[in-house]
Amino acid sequence: MTALEKATGDVVFKFEPFVLHVLCQELQDAQLLHSVAVKSGFRNSGITVGRGGKIMMAVRSTHCLEVPLSQKGKLMVSKEYIEFLIHVANRKMEENI
């Protein structure tokens, strides 16, 4: 709260979920891993193929949280709401684990 009170710009509360990057030798390997990840609940997972043929599979969850708290130094939410956001983010962190 002290940092928020001193802020002069925009402040955003942000929680980013678990991400696992896996370099795959074959596209079929990446596709199999992608299928398993999506079926396991990691719906934001995806496959990227680089120009050099590098195949990267990213396992990502949907546990994102991004909430503006202040705008131009003015706090836009209550202390109670910030405490609620912290509780929600901590639950998401436990789900990540």
Side-chain angles (χ1 to χ4, degrees):
M1 288 308 296
T2 302
L4 279 173
E5 291 166 2
K6 293 179 182 179
T8 58
D10 297 350
V11 176
V12 175
F13 184 95
K14 186 171 185 177
F15 173 82
E16 294 189 358
F18 164 83
V19 177
L20 172 68
H21 290 97
V22 180
L23 183 62
C24 299
Q25 288 185 337
E26 303 290 332
L27 184 57
Q28 304 89 287
D29 299 330
Q31 290 170 328
L32 177 60
L33 181 56
H34 180 263
S35 176
V36 170
V38 171
K39 288 177 183 174
S40 298
F42 295 96
R43 296 184 306 251
N44 284 350
S45 299
I47 300 170
T48 304
V49 180
R51 284 182 231 177
K54 183 167 76 170
I55 303 166
M56 185 69 66
M57 167 56 202
V59 179
R60 290 185 287 255
S61 74
T62 58
H63 295 100
C64 298
L65 179 64
E66 187 169 350
V67 181
L69 300 179
S70 71
Q71 183 179 33
K72 297 179 184 173
K74 181 183 178 206
L75 189 60
M76 306 300 287
V77 298
S78 68
K79 179 182 177 187
E80 291 79 19
Y81 186 70
I82 293 170
E83 290 171 357
F84 169 73
L85 287 176
I86 292 167
H87 177 73
V88 170
N90 285 337
R91 274 199 332 247
K92 290 177 179 289
M93 179 62 83
E94 289 176 16
E95 290 174 16
N96 270 334
I97 293 169

